[in-house]
Amino acid sequence: MMKHLVLVILLAVLVHDHAHDGTTTVEAAGDGFVRTRGIHFLLNGKPFYANGFNAYWLMYAASDPSQRYKVSSAFHEATSHGLTVARTWAFSDGGYRPLQYAPGFYNEQMFKGLDFVIYEARKYGIKLILSLVNNYESFGGKKQYVNWARSKGQYLTSDDDFFRSTLVKGYYANHVKTVLNRYNSFTGIHYKDDPTIMAWELMNEPRCTSDPSGRTIQAWITEMASLVKSIDRNHLLEAGLEGFYGQSTPRRKRMNPSGFNIGTDFIANNRIPGIDFATVHCYPDQWVSNSNEQHQLSFLNNWLSAHFIDAQYALRKPILVAEFGKSFKDSGYNTYQRDQLFSTVYYKILASAKRGGPAAGALFWQLLTEGMESFQDGYGIMLGQGSSTANMIAQQNHRLYLIRKILGRLANTRRWKRSKGNRRRSGGNRGGSSRMELPQLMN
């Protein structure tokens, strides 16, 4: 009980501090959109934490009506384990079964698949983060955009010209406008007006190795963030960054894994107006693969600590661990190793949340369900099969739920006190006490 009381007191201080932090707040807005206030997310005026997952395959599966049950099954299993946020692709450019088969031309069947994903997420109370293009060749990505421009006679020497070519940027801008303005055939709501969508992501893991100075990606994010916000002021926006440090923080660059000088800058990129929250990815099994398990966990611990500190003090924005995982294809893999990684990430999120920090949740890579075995990349987790990792995921939700509940009740108490004080000043009811003992909040 004393441990809980200490937590309540800390959270009470947090709520009081942020009630006077100079930021603008819409108290209990009630419109269902996730917002930010300072370093925290809010949903309907109350604190919001994301316990979630990645499932890039959702639109692809849902584009075939006979396979839509897999999306429903995944969402059912997710909610049964307390997961509330899913990150997925709102792109598939060229190639097999594309969403966009040529610049500005779309496959309606694929779009209806994405319509269904949003519709089904709404039914299950899951918020979506929708990514708008891939850095990599999978599902087309920047390479496909550049090839489209080359087919129009553009002389482009690198896939990184995706970030520089006026024609290519025009293709991407058109895609952004098309997706954001899409009328959902299932819900009857335009995407830009649908609170089921938590946020847009400009690109999955943007990289520009041809310009390690970071100026190219900085300019591109600035331009495209402005574009998105000019169309849609309802939704949050993030860049899709992995978290690698750049020229703006030379000392922090030492934290990057060796050889990861890829033209992004965690601090500078996330300071861009229009970018509402930061993201970080973590794959120590890939990034420091030549080290043992303990070193990988130590890297992960330090990586997250640095980014959470920077989100709080340098950025003043919330941060999501938007991807993390451990592949069973790793040499010497066992489930205990994966559980250690999940435990480390989840512990860091909880520690930040308890002290009022900016870490707002984590999305593991990736959720699969029965029938999606062909999408197994080594990181897939099937919650329906049951595992120690699945149990950890559910436990994390319970802990975040308690924190949300305590913060929510404290916020309600604060509003009640303020309202009662206003009544007193206006000559209203003067009877009773506005005092509430902190232990009552645990009832």
Side-chain angles (χ1 to χ4, degrees), residues 305-372:
S305 292
H307 287 81
F308 293 176
I309 289 170
D310 289 336
Q312 180 159 5
Y313 297 108
L315 301 176
R316 295 295 299 162
K317 296 179 180 180
I319 184 169
L320 276 184
V321 181
E323 286 189 26
F324 73 98
K326 171 76 174 175
S327 174
F328 66 67
K329 296 180 180 179
D330 294 342
S331 177
Y333 167 88
N334 59 57
T335 304
Y336 176 71
Q337 293 174 353
R338 184 174 71 183
D339 287 350
Q340 277 192 305
L341 182 138
F342 272 67
S343 177
T344 300
V345 173
Y346 285 162
Y347 174 80
K348 298 292 285 188
I349 298 291
L350 288 171
S352 174
K354 287 178 181 179
R355 65 173 178 267
L363 319 178
F364 66 84
W365 186 279
Q366 63 166 327
L367 177 66
L368 297 176
T369 192
E370 293 295 332
M372 298 305 300

Side-chain angles (χ1 to χ4, degrees), residues 256-275:
N256 292 345
S258 177
F260 281 76
N261 190 10
I262 58 168
T264 59
D265 187 319
F266 176 74
I267 300 297
N269 297 161
N270 281 309
R271 278 179 171 160
I272 291 170
I275 298 300

Side-chain angles (χ1 to χ4, degrees), residues 51-126:
N51 193 28
F53 61 96
N54 286 269
Y56 73 89
W57 51 268
L58 293 173
M59 176 179 66
Y60 181 87
S63 66
D64 180 351
S66 71
Q67 300 298 305
R68 287 176 182 162
Y69 73 92
K70 295 176 181 177
V71 175
S72 303
S73 176
F75 284 164
H76 173 74
E77 292 167 6
T79 54
S80 70
H81 286 74
L83 298 171
T84 56
V85 175
R87 176 173 171 263
T88 192
W89 297 168
F91 63 79
S92 180
D93 306 304
Y96 178 67
R97 287 174 62 184
L99 172 62
Q100 184 178 199
Y101 59 87
F105 292 90
Y106 290 83
N107 180 338
E108 181 62 17
Q109 184 177 346
M110 285 295 287
F111 238 143
K112 285 184 177 178
L114 187 55
D115 290 348
F116 179 81
V117 169
I118 297 171
Y119 166 75
E120 202 70 354
R122 184 185 185 93
K123 282 172 51 179
Y124 282 92
I126 291 175

Side-chain angles (χ1 to χ4, degrees), residues 176-354:
V176 169
K177 294 172 185 176
T178 301
V179 173
L180 271 57
N181 287 305
R182 168 74 177 180
Y183 177 83
N184 191 314
S185 59
F186 286 90
T187 66
I189 304 172
H190 291 93
Y191 286 13
K192 65 182 180 181
D193 298 322
D194 194 337
T196 305
I197 299 167
M198 172 181 170
W200 303 109
E201 178 178 277
L202 290 179
M203 186 179 213
N204 172 50
E205 299 190 341
R207 295 183 176 188
C208 185
T209 54
S210 62
D211 182 10
S213 75
R215 287 188 292 269
T216 296
I217 281 187
Q218 182 77 359
W220 184 83
I221 294 174
T222 301
E223 180 179 354
M224 297 311 170
S226 177
L227 169 69
V228 171
K229 290 298 185 178
S230 73
I231 301 168
D232 181 0
R233 288 285 179 178
N234 287 321
H235 290 104
L236 302 178
L237 178 66
E238 49 101 348
L241 299 174
E242 298 159 272
F244 301 120
Y245 290 100
Q247 302 290 0
S248 69
T249 50
R251 291 185 179 179
R252 281 292 202 221
K253 286 179 69 176
R254 301 171 190 167
M255 300 205 63
N256 292 345
S258 177
F260 281 76
N261 190 10
I262 58 168
T264 59
D265 187 319
F266 176 74
I267 300 297
N269 297 161
N270 281 309
R271 278 179 171 160
I272 291 170
I275 298 300
D276 296 298
F277 64 96
T279 60
V280 62
H281 297 183
C282 16
Y283 291 104
D285 62 342
Q286 295 181 24
W287 296 350
V288 286
S289 57
N290 293 326
S291 60
N292 61 31
E293 285 296 314
Q294 285 309 117
H295 183 272
Q296 289 181 18
L297 289 175
S298 176
F299 167 85
L300 174 63
N301 199 41
N302 294 333
W303 181 252
L304 293 178
S305 292
H307 287 81
F308 293 176
I309 289 170
D310 289 336
Q312 180 159 5
Y313 297 108
L315 301 176
R316 295 295 299 162
K317 296 179 180 180
I319 184 169
L320 276 184
V321 181
E323 286 189 26
F324 73 98
K326 171 76 174 175
S327 174
F328 66 67
K329 296 180 180 179
D330 294 342
S331 177
Y333 167 88
N334 59 57
T335 304
Y336 176 71
Q337 293 174 353
R338 184 174 71 183
D339 287 350
Q340 277 192 305
L341 182 138
F342 272 67
S343 177
T344 300
V345 173
Y346 285 162
Y347 174 80
K348 298 292 285 188
I349 298 291
L350 288 171
S352 174
K354 287 178 181 179

Side-chain angles (χ1 to χ4, degrees), residues 103 142-162 165 167-168 171:
K142 66 184 183 185
K143 183 181 184 68
Q144 179 62 74
Y145 275 83
V146 168
N147 284 340
W148 279 333
R150 285 174 176 149
S151 71
K152 296 295 184 181
Q154 295 284 304
Y155 179 70
L156 303 177
T157 59
S158 165
D159 291 349
D160 286 348
D161 286 328
F162 172 89
S165 164
L167 181 60
V168 173
Y171 291 160

